[in-house]
Amino acid sequence: MAELKLLARRIFQETISAIDIPEAMHRKLRREGTVLRLNDTKLNLRAFPNVRVIAIGKAAHAMVDGLASLLGREYPLKGIVAAPTPPLLAVVGMKYFVSGHPTPDSESWKAAEKILALLSECDEKTVVFFLLSGGGSALVEVPLDRRQALEDVRQLYRALVTCGAPIEAINTVRKHFSAVKGGRLAVAAGRATKISLAVSDVPVGKESALASGPTLPDPTTVADVQRVIDEFSLREKLPAGLLRWMDEGQMPETPKENDAAFGNAHFSLLLGLDDLFHPAHHATEAKGFLACCDNTTDDWPVEKAAEYLLAQLEELRRANPGQHVAVIADGEVSSPVRGKGIGGRNAAFVLACVKKIAGKRVAVLSAGTDGVDGNSPAAGAVADGDTWERGQAIGLNARYMFRESDSYSYFARLGDTLVTGPTGNNLRDLRILLAEGEDQIEKKRV
């Protein structure tokens, strides 16, 4: 069955390789002399002697490179980049911060202060390009209530990312505690023209959750923050000072749609759901599989998502006898941290499938397109019908390790982790489920 695992790995790698951010930048924006066109927006760069760039997220370097090559030497950039890794080659005029993720650090704080200072200098003759991608929430952060220390912010983040809440709920809280989220960077840029370009790792229609929506109106409210804190039992885990600030009614609402700051602001997706599904679907079918795409399981509990997607795979196989079939899914599953192990939601998803696919001609892969899965050094993991037996043979207890949030350790022992390093991209998680047709199985048995 190892060949199915190998095929799943190849499909994942080919998908990641096919996502070209600078190419997408040139495709989405068209420059004709001094005129820049973005969808229905036309921008005459001659009217803006000041071009500023704020790039935040795991795809920040590729996005800056793409914008620099598009604008050329005629329009030199000045701005700030906050990313989890240093650039291979720095762009002249840009100041770089290698910031903390998934928990903010001192560089995240410094980056936020520098961004706010730069935006305070902008006027109506400035155009600001906000280049946003996943991971941006932690990479740039400073609290709205400046009495709070960095450790308070770090405690807040640790509580949020381990509580099992969906990303939209997590970012609802972040936006209201932060001086740089929930539309507040758009407000900070004042009368400048704002162009936000995004590589999205959030659900379609939920773009204000991307990097906690620093340039978009925030649809959530203080009441929503209180609801999330209660629903996910966060009150005892949050810093006392932050809670007191909220409880005393000092937390202001985030900027809403009618705020003047959004009157000269434009937002566009560079890459989103289709840009992940399309190359994955193409790579899968090129290897002889009949493939269907499914994003139903977004934010589902990890075990429920595993049950559903495996059922979809079996239904597709039965409907197409003799045909290799595949289900491709995207999005983030919910996997609360319950133990002290190593791993993330992707390896946890695969571990939830291991017993269910035991003995079957099936392979399951789940990985983060950013190359990171939770607190592990891997992007995710891959398993097939032999994985359960192989684990049993060396004394691995899959159920126990799942409960202890130790999925990475399980697959590391078997050599089935997916280690890519940071990919410089960050669309949604990708899950690839492959199955051989019944006729093919029978032929191999004969």
Side-chain angles (χ1 to χ4, degrees):
M1 296 186 207
E3 64 271 20
L4 278 180
K5 287 195 301 183
L6 182 59
L7 285 173
R9 286 178 178 271
R10 287 176 178 168
I11 291 166
F12 178 74
Q13 292 290 356
E14 289 174 20
T15 300
I16 296 300
S17 298
I19 303 169
D20 189 316
I21 291 174
E23 189 275 332
M25 185 81 71
H26 283 260
R27 188 176 67 247
K28 200 79 173 186
L29 281 74
R30 298 184 307 282
R31 182 184 159 205
E32 301 163 0
T34 65
V35 175
L36 196 65
R37 296 181 183 273
L38 172 65
N39 300 327
D40 296 329
T41 301
K42 185 168 72 171
L43 197 71
N44 193 333
L45 294 171
R46 188 178 296 163
F48 300 99
N50 302 315
V51 178
R52 301 291 180 259
V53 179
I54 306 298
I56 303 171
K58 295 177 182 178
H61 297 314
M63 296 180 81
V64 170
D65 291 345
L67 183 63
S69 67
L70 179 73
L71 296 183
R73 294 181 180 179
E74 302 97 311
Y75 302 97
L77 308 183
K78 178 183 178 181
I80 294 165
V81 183
T85 57
L88 293 176
L89 184 64
V91 172
V92 175
M94 302 301 294
K95 182 174 179 59
Y96 290 83
F97 291 87
V98 180
S99 306
H101 186 276
T103 307
D105 62 9
S106 59
E107 290 298 291
S108 308
W109 191 293
K110 291 175 187 175
E113 291 185 325
K114 289 293 185 182
I115 288 170
L116 290 171
L118 182 67
L119 294 179
S120 71
E121 301 171 358
C122 295
D123 58 20
E124 67 276 4
K125 294 183 179 181
T126 305
V127 59
V128 184
F129 289 92
F130 292 95
L131 309 180
L132 308 174
S133 55
S137 294
L139 296 169
V140 173
E141 185 61 288
V142 69
L144 197 58
D145 177 13
R146 293 303 184 93
R147 293 171 298 179
Q148 307 306 317
L150 175 59
E151 186 49 44
D152 295 319
V153 175
R154 289 172 60 83
Q155 183 180 339
L156 169 69
Y157 270 68
R158 286 192 293 265
L160 289 171
V161 300
T162 59
C163 73
I167 189 63
E168 187 178 4
I170 289 172
N171 284 350
T172 294
V173 178
R174 286 170 170 166
K175 289 175 186 179
H176 284 80
F177 282 108
S178 174
V180 294
K181 296 175 171 52
R184 289 192 169 111
L185 287 190
V187 173
R191 293 177 293 169
T193 294
K194 304 127 190 167
I195 306 291
S196 296
L197 303 171
V199 173
S200 179
D201 67 340
V202 300
V204 175
K206 305 291 186 181
E207 285 75 22
S208 67
L210 175 65
S212 298
T215 63
L216 289 176
D218 180 29
T220 69
T221 65
V222 171
D224 292 326
V225 174
Q226 295 166 333
R227 176 185 54 78
V228 171
I229 289 174
D230 291 340
E231 182 177 346
F232 294 94
S233 304
L234 289 168
R235 182 162 285 273
E236 294 181 0
K237 301 176 183 178
L238 298 184
L242 285 175
L243 283 174
R244 185 163 54 251
W245 180 67
M246 180 184 71
D247 291 343
E248 291 175 354
Q250 298 181 53
M251 177 189 288
E253 272 299 353
T254 44
K256 306 305 178 190
E257 197 167 8
N258 60 354
D259 194 293
F262 304 115
N264 56 350
H266 310 274
F267 180 94
S268 182
L269 282 180
L270 278 186
L271 295 169
L273 171 64
D274 291 342
D275 300 289
L276 179 61
F277 269 158
H278 181 73
H281 189 271
H282 177 77
T284 305
E285 295 211 325
K287 290 170 177 54
F289 289 83
L290 174 66
C292 76
C293 297
D294 190 307
N295 66 348
T296 307
T297 56
D298 199 28
D299 282 336
W300 283 23
V302 61
E303 291 174 285
K304 180 182 177 183
E307 289 276 4
Y308 174 85
L309 291 174
L310 287 171
Q312 293 295 98
L313 184 70
E314 177 63 16
E315 183 178 327
L316 190 61
R317 185 186 64 79
R318 287 179 178 172
N320 299 274
Q323 173 70 57
H324 295 331
V325 297
V327 171
I328 303 164
D330 87 319
E332 298 180 0
V333 293
S334 174
S335 182
V337 176
R338 296 191 174 94
K340 297 182 179 180
I342 303 172
R345 59 181 177 260
N346 287 292
F349 174 86
V350 180
L351 189 52
C353 293
V354 164
K355 178 62 174 175
K356 295 176 176 64
I357 65 173
K360 299 179 180 179
R361 303 290 303 186
V362 169
V364 175
L365 178 148
S366 185
T369 53
D370 59 352
V372 179
D373 187 33
N375 64 351
S376 82
V382 60
D384 63 14
D386 292 334
T387 300
W388 174 264
E389 187 175 335
R390 290 172 57 223
Q392 291 280 90
I394 60 172
L396 296 178
N397 186 325
R399 292 191 181 93
Y400 173 78
M401 296 178 85
F402 181 87
R403 288 196 304 270
E404 289 299 303
S405 305
D406 202 20
S407 51
Y408 168 80
S409 300
Y410 180 91
F411 292 109
R413 290 281 304 277
L414 296 172
D416 284 334
T417 59
L418 218 69
V419 180
T420 64
T423 63
N425 209 323
N426 194 32
L427 292 171
R428 315 219 68 203
D429 294 343
L430 183 64
R431 281 174 281 287
I432 301 164
L433 294 83
L434 306 177
E436 290 188 356
E438 285 185 338
D439 290 356
Q440 300 294 327
I441 297 171
E442 291 302 321
K443 287 178 184 178
K444 291 187 178 184
R445 286 173 180 164
V446 172

